PDB file of all heavy atoms in Angstrom:
ATOM      1  N   HIS T  49     -14.034  15.882  -3.380  1.00 91.00           N
ATOM      2  CA  HIS T  49     -13.863  14.437  -3.602  1.00 91.00           C
ATOM      3  C   HIS T  49     -12.439  14.024  -3.254  1.00 91.00           C
ATOM      4  O   HIS T  49     -11.841  13.194  -3.934  1.00 91.00           O
ATOM      5  CB  HIS T  49     -14.189  14.075  -5.052  1.00 91.00           C
ATOM      6  CG  HIS T  49     -15.600  14.384  -5.425  1.00 91.00           C
ATOM      7  ND1 HIS T  49     -16.666  13.640  -4.978  1.00 91.00           N
ATOM      8  CD2 HIS T  49     -16.129  15.383  -6.157  1.00 91.00           C
ATOM      9  CE1 HIS T  49     -17.790  14.157  -5.436  1.00 91.00           C
ATOM     10  NE2 HIS T  49     -17.493  15.219  -6.156  1.00 91.00           N
ATOM     11  N   ILE T  50     -11.889  14.622  -2.216  1.00 94.00           N
ATOM     12  CA  ILE T  50     -10.539  14.285  -1.774  1.00 94.00           C
ATOM     13  C   ILE T  50     -10.662  13.078  -0.842  1.00 94.00           C
ATOM     14  O   ILE T  50     -11.245  13.178   0.238  1.00 94.00           O
ATOM     15  CB  ILE T  50      -9.878  15.474  -1.055  1.00 94.00           C
ATOM     16  CG1 ILE T  50      -9.869  16.705  -1.963  1.00 94.00           C
ATOM     17  CG2 ILE T  50      -8.456  15.104  -0.629  1.00 94.00           C
ATOM     18  CD1 ILE T  50      -9.476  17.991  -1.262  1.00 94.00           C
ATOM     19  N   PRO T  51     -10.120  11.940  -1.251  1.00 94.00           N
ATOM     20  CA  PRO T  51     -10.304  10.706  -0.471  1.00 94.00           C
ATOM     21  C   PRO T  51      -9.314  10.592   0.695  1.00 94.00           C
ATOM     22  O   PRO T  51      -8.411   9.759   0.694  1.00 94.00           O
ATOM     23  CB  PRO T  51     -10.065   9.612  -1.511  1.00 94.00           C
ATOM     24  CG  PRO T  51      -9.072  10.222  -2.449  1.00 94.00           C
ATOM     25  CD  PRO T  51      -9.409  11.695  -2.497  1.00 94.00           C
ATOM     26  N   LEU T  52      -9.494  11.430   1.705  1.00 95.00           N
ATOM     27  CA  LEU T  52      -8.597  11.403   2.859  1.00 95.00           C
ATOM     28  C   LEU T  52      -8.882  10.190   3.737  1.00 95.00           C
ATOM     29  O   LEU T  52     -10.030   9.825   3.959  1.00 95.00           O
ATOM     30  CB  LEU T  52      -8.752  12.685   3.680  1.00 95.00           C
ATOM     31  CG  LEU T  52      -8.352  13.980   2.986  1.00 95.00           C
ATOM     32  CD1 LEU T  52      -8.745  15.183   3.827  1.00 95.00           C
ATOM     33  CD2 LEU T  52      -6.863  13.988   2.702  1.00 95.00           C
ATOM     34  N   VAL T  53      -7.806   9.598   4.232  1.00 93.00           N
ATOM     35  CA  VAL T  53      -7.897   8.445   5.128  1.00 93.00           C
ATOM     36  C   VAL T  53      -7.370   8.882   6.488  1.00 93.00           C
ATOM     37  O   VAL T  53      -6.326   9.533   6.570  1.00 93.00           O
ATOM     38  CB  VAL T  53      -7.060   7.255   4.586  1.00 93.00           C
ATOM     39  CG1 VAL T  53      -7.116   6.078   5.544  1.00 93.00           C
ATOM     40  CG2 VAL T  53      -7.524   6.862   3.197  1.00 93.00           C
ATOM     41  N   LYS T  54      -8.082   8.532   7.541  1.00 92.00           N
ATOM     42  CA  LYS T  54      -7.616   8.865   8.886  1.00 92.00           C
ATOM     43  C   LYS T  54      -6.344   8.071   9.188  1.00 92.00           C
ATOM     44  O   LYS T  54      -6.239   6.895   8.842  1.00 92.00           O
ATOM     45  CB  LYS T  54      -8.691   8.573   9.919  1.00 92.00           C
ATOM     46  CG  LYS T  54      -9.911   9.468   9.757  1.00 92.00           C
ATOM     47  CD  LYS T  54     -10.821   9.341  10.946  1.00 92.00           C
ATOM     48  CE  LYS T  54     -12.043  10.210  10.796  1.00 92.00           C
ATOM     49  NZ  LYS T  54     -11.803  11.606  10.768  1.00 92.00           N
ATOM     50  N   ILE T  55      -5.414   8.725   9.840  1.00 92.00           N
ATOM     51  CA  ILE T  55      -4.105   8.124  10.083  1.00 92.00           C
ATOM     52  C   ILE T  55      -4.210   6.827  10.885  1.00 92.00           C
ATOM     53  O   ILE T  55      -3.446   5.891  10.669  1.00 92.00           O
ATOM     54  CB  ILE T  55      -3.140   9.131  10.754  1.00 92.00           C
ATOM     55  CG1 ILE T  55      -1.707   8.646  10.637  1.00 92.00           C
ATOM     56  CG2 ILE T  55      -3.555   9.429  12.178  1.00 92.00           C
ATOM     57  CD1 ILE T  55      -0.673   9.707  10.930  1.00 92.00           C
ATOM     58  N   ASN T  56      -5.176   6.739  11.787  1.00 92.00           N
ATOM     59  CA  ASN T  56      -5.311   5.518  12.587  1.00 92.00           C
ATOM     60  C   ASN T  56      -5.906   4.355  11.798  1.00 92.00           C
ATOM     61  O   ASN T  56      -5.983   3.238  12.300  1.00 92.00           O
ATOM     62  CB  ASN T  56      -6.105   5.782  13.868  1.00 92.00           C
ATOM     63  CG  ASN T  56      -7.510   6.273  13.601  1.00 92.00           C
ATOM     64  OD1 ASN T  56      -7.882   6.533  12.457  1.00 92.00           O
ATOM     65  ND2 ASN T  56      -8.287   6.422  14.650  1.00 92.00           N
ATOM     66  N   LYS T  57      -6.320   4.592  10.565  1.00 94.00           N
ATOM     67  CA  LYS T  57      -6.847   3.534   9.701  1.00 94.00           C
ATOM     68  C   LYS T  57      -5.763   2.939   8.794  1.00 94.00           C
ATOM     69  O   LYS T  57      -6.044   2.043   8.004  1.00 94.00           O
ATOM     70  CB  LYS T  57      -7.997   4.067   8.828  1.00 94.00           C
ATOM     71  CG  LYS T  57      -9.162   4.593   9.611  1.00 94.00           C
ATOM     72  CD  LYS T  57      -9.891   3.487  10.314  1.00 94.00           C
ATOM     73  CE  LYS T  57     -11.123   4.034  11.012  1.00 94.00           C
ATOM     74  NZ  LYS T  57     -11.751   3.065  11.860  1.00 94.00           N
ATOM     75  N   ILE T  58      -4.542   3.448   8.889  1.00 93.00           N
ATOM     76  CA  ILE T  58      -3.445   2.950   8.055  1.00 93.00           C
ATOM     77  C   ILE T  58      -2.705   1.849   8.799  1.00 93.00           C
ATOM     78  O   ILE T  58      -2.077   2.098   9.838  1.00 93.00           O
ATOM     79  CB  ILE T  58      -2.459   4.097   7.706  1.00 93.00           C
ATOM     80  CG1 ILE T  58      -3.152   5.213   6.948  1.00 93.00           C
ATOM     81  CG2 ILE T  58      -1.247   3.569   6.950  1.00 93.00           C
ATOM     82  CD1 ILE T  58      -3.634   4.844   5.563  1.00 93.00           C
ATOM     83  N   PRO T  59      -2.766   0.614   8.296  1.00 93.00           N
ATOM     84  CA  PRO T  59      -2.000  -0.476   8.929  1.00 93.00           C
ATOM     85  C   PRO T  59      -0.526  -0.356   8.517  1.00 93.00           C
ATOM     86  O   PRO T  59      -0.173  -0.574   7.360  1.00 93.00           O
ATOM     87  CB  PRO T  59      -2.642  -1.742   8.360  1.00 93.00           C
ATOM     88  CG  PRO T  59      -3.323  -1.312   7.102  1.00 93.00           C
ATOM     89  CD  PRO T  59      -3.603   0.145   7.213  1.00 93.00           C
ATOM     90  N   LEU T  60       0.312   0.043   9.457  1.00 91.00           N
ATOM     91  CA  LEU T  60       1.715   0.325   9.151  1.00 91.00           C
ATOM     92  C   LEU T  60       2.423  -0.851   8.489  1.00 91.00           C
ATOM     93  O   LEU T  60       3.261  -0.653   7.612  1.00 91.00           O
ATOM     94  CB  LEU T  60       2.463   0.730  10.421  1.00 91.00           C
ATOM     95  CG  LEU T  60       1.973   1.998  11.115  1.00 91.00           C
ATOM     96  CD1 LEU T  60       2.849   2.328  12.309  1.00 91.00           C
ATOM     97  CD2 LEU T  60       1.908   3.170  10.155  1.00 91.00           C
ATOM     98  N   GLU T  61       2.070  -2.049   8.876  1.00 90.00           N
ATOM     99  CA  GLU T  61       2.741  -3.241   8.320  1.00 90.00           C
ATOM    100  C   GLU T  61       2.397  -3.477   6.849  1.00 90.00           C
ATOM    101  O   GLU T  61       3.066  -4.236   6.168  1.00 90.00           O
ATOM    102  CB  GLU T  61       2.423  -4.489   9.149  1.00 90.00           C
ATOM    103  CG  GLU T  61       0.977  -4.943   9.109  1.00 90.00           C
ATOM    104  CD  GLU T  61       0.023  -4.159  10.018  1.00 90.00           C
ATOM    105  OE1 GLU T  61       0.469  -3.278  10.779  1.00 90.00           O
ATOM    106  OE2 GLU T  61      -1.193  -4.433   9.935  1.00 90.00           O
ATOM    107  N   GLN T  62       1.371  -2.784   6.341  1.00 93.00           N
ATOM    108  CA  GLN T  62       0.984  -2.947   4.944  1.00 93.00           C
ATOM    109  C   GLN T  62       1.514  -1.842   4.036  1.00 93.00           C
ATOM    110  O   GLN T  62       1.320  -1.882   2.825  1.00 93.00           O
ATOM    111  CB  GLN T  62      -0.540  -3.023   4.829  1.00 93.00           C
ATOM    112  CG  GLN T  62      -1.119  -4.281   5.440  1.00 93.00           C
ATOM    113  CD  GLN T  62      -2.624  -4.344   5.300  1.00 93.00           C
ATOM    114  OE1 GLN T  62      -3.217  -3.690   4.450  1.00 93.00           O
ATOM    115  NE2 GLN T  62      -3.253  -5.144   6.147  1.00 93.00           N
TER     116      GLN T  62
END
Side-chain angles (χ1 to χ4, degrees):
H49 299 287
I50 304 169
L52 296 172
V53 178
K54 294 191 181 295
I55 196 165
N56 61 354
K57 300 291 184 189
I58 300 293
L60 298 183
E61 67 280 356
Q62 292 181 21

